[in-house]
Amino acid sequence: MDILFRYFPDLTPRQREQFQQLDHEFRGWNERVNLIARTDVENLAERHFLHSLGIAKVVQFPAGSTVLDVGTGGGLPGLPLAIMFPEVEFHLIDSIGKKIKAVQDMAHALKLHNVTAEQVRAEQVRSKFDFVVSRAVTRLANFHPWIAQRYTATASADESHGLYYLKGGDLTEELEESGLVASVTNLSDFFGEEFFETKKVVFVPANKALAKGKRTNNV
């Protein structure tokens, strides 16, 4: 966990304790459910927890806001972000029930009262949220229509609200294909490890999204 504490030195003792416990709980569940490739468990802190927290380098979720994590898998990026933002409500969804069971168990063990988890597909969600986060579930052109109508009125009126999507590689073609108004932040601007050289956070504002050339909100 030292790598997390180095990049986020202002974590409280309680948050440090929760990250340590998340590491323990995640490894235990991974033996049973295979939340991530077992060959990558030794890189858990850097490539999964810190990668998830890359979003926290790009946006500070306001207290009282709501965040939907789509395709959370084993709780990434939602669980690390829920530790980082204890006054923000996170709803983690995935279509695979055994992974959601693991997420629910970990959230309970860590006493993350700001986390709910549900087995459901993104297209079936009816609640609305201020923010959406995800770790590269699919290409943006496929992903964005699932969540384009899931924003609150508050999100539609605030330029910092919208989708924060963790992706890697050259995104030029993918962004052009999507027809979305988006900005890209390189995580290598914040993290020095080789893993982050090609990792990015793509931000699509809730109030300026363009889907296939047509505006999806009120701007």
mmCIF file of all heavy atoms in Angstrom, residues 185-217:
data_model
loop_
_atom_site.group_PDB
_atom_site.id
_atom_site.type_symbol
_atom_site.label_atom_id
_atom_site.label_comp_id
_atom_site.label_asym_id
_atom_site.label_seq_id
_atom_site.Cartn_x
_atom_site.Cartn_y
_atom_site.Cartn_z
ATOM 1 N N THR A 185 -7.068 13.096 -20.055
ATOM 2 C CA THR A 185 -5.982 13.401 -19.122
ATOM 3 C C THR A 185 -5.056 12.199 -19.031
ATOM 4 O O THR A 185 -5.508 11.072 -18.803
ATOM 5 C CB THR A 185 -6.526 13.723 -17.717
ATOM 6 O OG1 THR A 185 -7.410 14.842 -17.798
ATOM 7 C CG2 THR A 185 -5.389 14.051 -16.760
ATOM 8 N N ASN A 186 -3.766 12.429 -19.214
ATOM 9 C CA ASN A 186 -2.783 11.358 -19.106
ATOM 10 C C ASN A 186 -2.444 11.093 -17.646
ATOM 11 O O ASN A 186 -2.029 12.007 -16.929
ATOM 12 C CB ASN A 186 -1.506 11.731 -19.860
ATOM 13 C CG ASN A 186 -1.736 11.875 -21.345
ATOM 14 O OD1 ASN A 186 -2.393 11.046 -21.968
ATOM 15 N ND2 ASN A 186 -1.187 12.928 -21.923
ATOM 16 N N LEU A 187 -2.595 9.847 -17.208
ATOM 17 C CA LEU A 187 -2.251 9.527 -15.817
ATOM 18 C C LEU A 187 -0.750 9.557 -15.591
ATOM 19 O O LEU A 187 -0.302 9.635 -14.444
ATOM 20 C CB LEU A 187 -2.831 8.160 -15.442
ATOM 21 C CG LEU A 187 -4.357 8.140 -15.278
ATOM 22 C CD1 LEU A 187 -4.831 6.759 -14.860
ATOM 23 C CD2 LEU A 187 -4.817 9.188 -14.259
ATOM 24 N N SER A 188 0.024 9.537 -16.660
ATOM 25 C CA SER A 188 1.475 9.683 -16.510
ATOM 26 C C SER A 188 1.846 11.070 -16.006
ATOM 27 O O SER A 188 2.972 11.289 -15.534
ATOM 28 C CB SER A 188 2.169 9.414 -17.849
ATOM 29 O OG SER A 188 1.701 10.306 -18.846
ATOM 30 N N ASP A 189 0.916 12.026 -16.065
ATOM 31 C CA ASP A 189 1.151 13.347 -15.492
ATOM 32 C C ASP A 189 1.193 13.300 -13.970
ATOM 33 O O ASP A 189 1.706 14.221 -13.328
ATOM 34 C CB ASP A 189 0.050 14.326 -15.921
ATOM 35 C CG ASP A 189 0.100 14.656 -17.403
ATOM 36 O OD1 ASP A 189 1.124 14.361 -18.053
ATOM 37 O OD2 ASP A 189 -0.898 15.211 -17.918
ATOM 38 N N PHE A 190 0.627 12.235 -13.396
ATOM 39 C CA PHE A 190 0.525 12.127 -11.942
ATOM 40 C C PHE A 190 1.335 10.967 -11.369
ATOM 41 O O PHE A 190 1.846 11.067 -10.253
ATOM 42 C CB PHE A 190 -0.945 11.943 -11.536
ATOM 43 C CG PHE A 190 -1.863 12.978 -12.097
ATOM 44 C CD1 PHE A 190 -2.691 12.688 -13.174
ATOM 45 C CD2 PHE A 190 -1.886 14.262 -11.560
ATOM 46 C CE1 PHE A 190 -3.536 13.650 -13.696
ATOM 47 C CE2 PHE A 190 -2.731 15.232 -12.079
ATOM 48 C CZ PHE A 190 -3.559 14.930 -13.146
ATOM 49 N N PHE A 191 1.429 9.861 -12.112
ATOM 50 C CA PHE A 191 2.072 8.653 -11.610
ATOM 51 C C PHE A 191 3.280 8.315 -12.484
ATOM 52 O O PHE A 191 3.180 8.283 -13.709
ATOM 53 C CB PHE A 191 1.096 7.469 -11.615
ATOM 54 C CG PHE A 191 -0.207 7.742 -10.894
ATOM 55 C CD1 PHE A 191 -1.418 7.330 -11.438
ATOM 56 C CD2 PHE A 191 -0.221 8.396 -9.664
ATOM 57 C CE1 PHE A 191 -2.619 7.561 -10.777
ATOM 58 C CE2 PHE A 191 -1.414 8.638 -8.999
ATOM 59 C CZ PHE A 191 -2.616 8.222 -9.555
ATOM 60 N N GLY A 192 4.413 8.027 -11.835
ATOM 61 C CA GLY A 192 5.653 7.816 -12.569
ATOM 62 C C GLY A 192 5.915 6.405 -13.040
ATOM 63 O O GLY A 192 6.830 6.179 -13.838
ATOM 64 N N GLU A 193 5.120 5.430 -12.601
ATOM 65 C CA GLU A 193 5.368 4.037 -12.955
ATOM 66 C C GLU A 193 5.111 3.783 -14.443
ATOM 67 O O GLU A 193 4.237 4.393 -15.061
ATOM 68 C CB GLU A 193 4.480 3.107 -12.112
ATOM 69 C CG GLU A 193 4.918 2.956 -10.671
ATOM 70 C CD GLU A 193 4.719 4.225 -9.853
ATOM 71 O OE1 GLU A 193 3.867 5.059 -10.242
ATOM 72 O OE2 GLU A 193 5.403 4.390 -8.835
ATOM 73 N N GLU A 194 5.856 2.845 -15.017
ATOM 74 C CA GLU A 194 5.762 2.528 -16.444
ATOM 75 C C GLU A 194 4.334 2.140 -16.847
ATOM 76 O O GLU A 194 3.893 2.462 -17.959
ATOM 77 C CB GLU A 194 6.723 1.397 -16.783
ATOM 78 C CG GLU A 194 6.746 1.016 -18.252
ATOM 79 C CD GLU A 194 7.725 -0.099 -18.553
ATOM 80 O OE1 GLU A 194 8.455 -0.517 -17.621
ATOM 81 O OE2 GLU A 194 7.762 -0.558 -19.709
ATOM 82 N N PHE A 195 3.624 1.469 -15.967
ATOM 83 C CA PHE A 195 2.265 1.014 -16.254
ATOM 84 C C PHE A 195 1.367 2.161 -16.704
ATOM 85 O O PHE A 195 0.465 1.971 -17.530
ATOM 86 C CB PHE A 195 1.674 0.353 -15.000
ATOM 87 C CG PHE A 195 0.217 -0.002 -15.118
ATOM 88 C CD1 PHE A 195 -0.204 -1.106 -15.844
ATOM 89 C CD2 PHE A 195 -0.751 0.779 -14.486
ATOM 90 C CE1 PHE A 195 -1.558 -1.432 -15.954
ATOM 91 C CE2 PHE A 195 -2.104 0.462 -14.579
ATOM 92 C CZ PHE A 195 -2.496 -0.645 -15.316
ATOM 93 N N PHE A 196 1.623 3.363 -16.190
ATOM 94 C CA PHE A 196 0.729 4.495 -16.444
ATOM 95 C C PHE A 196 1.109 5.307 -17.681
ATOM 96 O O PHE A 196 0.441 6.297 -17.990
ATOM 97 C CB PHE A 196 0.678 5.405 -15.219
ATOM 98 C CG PHE A 196 0.041 4.744 -14.027
ATOM 99 C CD1 PHE A 196 0.826 4.245 -13.001
ATOM 100 C CD2 PHE A 196 -1.327 4.588 -13.959
ATOM 101 C CE1 PHE A 196 0.242 3.611 -11.900
ATOM 102 C CE2 PHE A 196 -1.928 3.955 -12.877
ATOM 103 C CZ PHE A 196 -1.134 3.458 -11.848
ATOM 104 N N GLU A 197 2.141 4.889 -18.408
ATOM 105 C CA GLU A 197 2.603 5.665 -19.561
ATOM 106 C C GLU A 197 1.513 5.851 -20.609
ATOM 107 O O GLU A 197 1.447 6.877 -21.281
ATOM 108 C CB GLU A 197 3.826 4.996 -20.184
ATOM 109 C CG GLU A 197 5.096 5.182 -19.365
ATOM 110 C CD GLU A 197 6.308 4.580 -20.049
ATOM 111 O OE1 GLU A 197 6.152 4.055 -21.179
ATOM 112 O OE2 GLU A 197 7.402 4.641 -19.465
ATOM 113 N N THR A 198 0.650 4.847 -20.771
ATOM 114 C CA THR A 198 -0.396 4.937 -21.796
ATOM 115 C C THR A 198 -1.807 5.021 -21.201
ATOM 116 O O THR A 198 -2.791 4.977 -21.944
ATOM 117 C CB THR A 198 -0.344 3.711 -22.723
ATOM 118 O OG1 THR A 198 -0.604 2.523 -21.956
ATOM 119 C CG2 THR A 198 1.026 3.595 -23.381
ATOM 120 N N LYS A 199 -1.898 5.148 -19.881
ATOM 121 C CA LYS A 199 -3.209 5.136 -19.221
ATOM 122 C C LYS A 199 -3.783 6.557 -19.154
ATOM 123 O O LYS A 199 -3.060 7.518 -18.907
ATOM 124 C CB LYS A 199 -3.098 4.537 -17.825
ATOM 125 C CG LYS A 199 -2.632 3.082 -17.822
ATOM 126 C CD LYS A 199 -3.633 2.190 -18.517
ATOM 127 C CE LYS A 199 -3.275 0.720 -18.440
ATOM 128 N NZ LYS A 199 -2.099 0.347 -19.230
ATOM 129 N N LYS A 200 -5.092 6.640 -19.349
ATOM 130 C CA LYS A 200 -5.747 7.936 -19.444
ATOM 131 C C LYS A 200 -7.093 7.923 -18.733
ATOM 132 O O LYS A 200 -7.680 6.861 -18.506
ATOM 133 C CB LYS A 200 -5.970 8.307 -20.917
ATOM 134 C CG LYS A 200 -4.687 8.356 -21.756
ATOM 135 C CD LYS A 200 -4.994 8.471 -23.221
ATOM 136 C CE LYS A 200 -3.725 8.656 -24.046
ATOM 137 N NZ LYS A 200 -2.833 7.476 -23.989
ATOM 138 N N VAL A 201 -7.575 9.118 -18.402
ATOM 139 C CA VAL A 201 -8.955 9.312 -17.966
ATOM 140 C C VAL A 201 -9.649 10.135 -19.031
ATOM 141 O O VAL A 201 -9.243 11.267 -19.326
ATOM 142 C CB VAL A 201 -9.046 10.027 -16.602
ATOM 143 C CG1 VAL A 201 -10.518 10.265 -16.233
ATOM 144 C CG2 VAL A 201 -8.356 9.228 -15.514
ATOM 145 N N VAL A 202 -10.688 9.563 -19.616
ATOM 146 C CA VAL A 202 -11.499 10.275 -20.613
ATOM 147 C C VAL A 202 -12.702 10.873 -19.890
ATOM 148 O O VAL A 202 -13.437 10.167 -19.204
ATOM 149 C CB VAL A 202 -11.977 9.331 -21.729
ATOM 150 C CG1 VAL A 202 -12.835 10.094 -22.740
ATOM 151 C CG2 VAL A 202 -10.786 8.674 -22.419
ATOM 152 N N PHE A 203 -12.895 12.162 -20.052
ATOM 153 C CA PHE A 203 -14.029 12.850 -19.432
ATOM 154 C C PHE A 203 -15.006 13.306 -20.501
ATOM 155 O O PHE A 203 -14.645 14.032 -21.433
ATOM 156 C CB PHE A 203 -13.544 14.060 -18.621
ATOM 157 C CG PHE A 203 -14.657 14.959 -18.142
ATOM 158 C CD1 PHE A 203 -15.723 14.440 -17.414
ATOM 159 C CD2 PHE A 203 -14.640 16.314 -18.418
ATOM 160 C CE1 PHE A 203 -16.760 15.253 -16.978
ATOM 161 C CE2 PHE A 203 -15.656 17.149 -17.975
ATOM 162 C CZ PHE A 203 -16.732 16.612 -17.260
ATOM 163 N N VAL A 204 -16.257 12.854 -20.380
ATOM 164 C CA VAL A 204 -17.336 13.288 -21.267
ATOM 165 C C VAL A 204 -18.356 14.036 -20.416
ATOM 166 O O VAL A 204 -19.061 13.426 -19.607
ATOM 167 C CB VAL A 204 -18.015 12.097 -21.972
ATOM 168 C CG1 VAL A 204 -19.117 12.594 -22.903
ATOM 169 C CG2 VAL A 204 -16.994 11.265 -22.733
ATOM 170 N N PRO A 205 -18.446 15.353 -20.521
ATOM 171 C CA PRO A 205 -19.372 16.114 -19.682
ATOM 172 C C PRO A 205 -20.820 15.703 -19.911
ATOM 173 O O PRO A 205 -21.233 15.428 -21.043
ATOM 174 C CB PRO A 205 -19.150 17.567 -20.129
ATOM 175 C CG PRO A 205 -17.824 17.570 -20.813
ATOM 176 C CD PRO A 205 -17.684 16.223 -21.432
ATOM 177 N N ALA A 206 -21.588 15.679 -18.835
ATOM 178 C CA ALA A 206 -23.001 15.314 -18.934
ATOM 179 C C ALA A 206 -23.773 16.324 -19.768
ATOM 180 O O ALA A 206 -24.729 15.963 -20.464
ATOM 181 C CB ALA A 206 -23.621 15.213 -17.541
ATOM 182 N N ASN A 207 -23.357 17.574 -19.729
ATOM 183 C CA ASN A 207 -24.153 18.613 -20.387
ATOM 184 C C ASN A 207 -23.633 19.012 -21.763
ATOM 185 O O ASN A 207 -24.149 19.938 -22.374
ATOM 186 C CB ASN A 207 -24.233 19.865 -19.499
ATOM 187 C CG ASN A 207 -22.875 20.520 -19.307
ATOM 188 O OD1 ASN A 207 -21.840 19.970 -19.673
ATOM 189 N ND2 ASN A 207 -22.875 21.702 -18.727
ATOM 190 N N LYS A 208 -22.607 18.297 -22.260
ATOM 191 C CA LYS A 208 -22.088 18.651 -23.580
ATOM 192 C C LYS A 208 -21.823 17.436 -24.443
ATOM 193 O O LYS A 208 -21.108 17.519 -25.435
ATOM 194 C CB LYS A 208 -20.791 19.472 -23.441
ATOM 195 C CG LYS A 208 -21.018 20.864 -22.880
ATOM 196 C CD LYS A 208 -19.737 21.661 -22.903
ATOM 197 C CE LYS A 208 -19.985 23.072 -22.380
ATOM 198 N NZ LYS A 208 -18.749 23.871 -22.323
ATOM 199 N N ALA A 209 -22.362 16.296 -24.032
ATOM 200 C CA ALA A 209 -22.103 15.074 -24.781
ATOM 201 C C ALA A 209 -22.767 15.128 -26.149
ATOM 202 O O ALA A 209 -23.905 15.542 -26.293
ATOM 203 C CB ALA A 209 -22.627 13.867 -23.997
ATOM 204 N N LEU A 210 -22.029 14.685 -27.158
ATOM 205 C CA LEU A 210 -22.595 14.557 -28.498
ATOM 206 C C LEU A 210 -22.590 13.060 -28.844
ATOM 207 O O LEU A 210 -21.561 12.409 -28.747
ATOM 208 C CB LEU A 210 -21.742 15.303 -29.526
ATOM 209 C CG LEU A 210 -21.746 16.812 -29.457
ATOM 210 C CD1 LEU A 210 -20.790 17.370 -30.500
ATOM 211 C CD2 LEU A 210 -23.126 17.370 -29.701
ATOM 212 N N ALA A 211 -23.717 12.532 -29.187
ATOM 213 C CA ALA A 211 -23.792 11.140 -29.588
ATOM 214 C C ALA A 211 -24.135 11.077 -31.077
ATOM 215 O O ALA A 211 -25.210 11.484 -31.504
ATOM 216 C CB ALA A 211 -24.861 10.415 -28.778
ATOM 217 N N LYS A 212 -23.167 10.559 -31.864
ATOM 218 C CA LYS A 212 -23.354 10.454 -33.309
ATOM 219 C C LYS A 212 -23.798 11.786 -33.918
ATOM 220 O O LYS A 212 -24.681 11.871 -34.777
ATOM 221 C CB LYS A 212 -24.350 9.345 -33.655
ATOM 222 C CG LYS A 212 -23.903 7.975 -33.185
ATOM 223 C CD LYS A 212 -24.829 6.900 -33.649
ATOM 224 C CE LYS A 212 -24.404 5.532 -33.100
ATOM 225 N NZ LYS A 212 -23.040 5.165 -33.455
ATOM 226 N N GLY A 213 -23.170 12.879 -33.371
ATOM 227 C CA GLY A 213 -23.423 14.191 -33.924
ATOM 228 C C GLY A 213 -24.654 14.887 -33.402
ATOM 229 O O GLY A 213 -24.948 15.995 -33.803
ATOM 230 N N LYS A 214 -25.403 14.242 -32.475
ATOM 231 C CA LYS A 214 -26.605 14.870 -31.953
ATOM 232 C C LYS A 214 -26.445 15.112 -30.460
ATOM 233 O O LYS A 214 -25.941 14.266 -29.723
ATOM 234 C CB LYS A 214 -27.824 13.965 -32.178
ATOM 235 C CG LYS A 214 -28.154 13.770 -33.647
ATOM 236 C CD LYS A 214 -29.396 12.890 -33.801
ATOM 237 C CE LYS A 214 -29.734 12.711 -35.265
ATOM 238 N NZ LYS A 214 -30.911 11.855 -35.464
ATOM 239 N N ARG A 215 -26.892 16.244 -29.982
ATOM 240 C CA ARG A 215 -26.775 16.566 -28.585
ATOM 241 C C ARG A 215 -27.756 15.723 -27.773
ATOM 242 O O ARG A 215 -28.907 15.564 -28.130
ATOM 243 C CB ARG A 215 -27.046 18.045 -28.337
ATOM 244 C CG ARG A 215 -25.991 18.925 -29.017
ATOM 245 C CD ARG A 215 -26.132 20.374 -28.595
ATOM 246 N NE ARG A 215 -25.180 21.202 -29.297
ATOM 247 C CZ ARG A 215 -23.933 21.382 -28.915
ATOM 248 N NH1 ARG A 215 -23.496 20.769 -27.853
ATOM 249 N NH2 ARG A 215 -23.123 22.159 -29.600
ATOM 250 N N THR A 216 -27.232 15.168 -26.640
ATOM 251 C CA THR A 216 -28.048 14.252 -25.845
ATOM 252 C C THR A 216 -28.653 14.926 -24.633
ATOM 253 O O THR A 216 -29.458 14.346 -23.942
ATOM 254 C CB THR A 216 -27.203 13.062 -25.376
ATOM 255 O OG1 THR A 216 -26.126 13.559 -24.577
ATOM 256 C CG2 THR A 216 -26.637 12.297 -26.559
ATOM 257 N N ASN A 217 -28.232 16.163 -24.328
ATOM 258 C CA ASN A 217 -28.754 16.857 -23.171
ATOM 259 C C ASN A 217 -29.255 18.235 -23.578
ATOM 260 O O ASN A 217 -29.564 18.466 -24.743
ATOM 261 C CB ASN A 217 -27.707 16.925 -22.058
ATOM 262 C CG ASN A 217 -27.578 15.597 -21.334
ATOM 263 O OD1 ASN A 217 -28.490 15.154 -20.665
ATOM 264 N ND2 ASN A 217 -26.434 14.942 -21.515
#
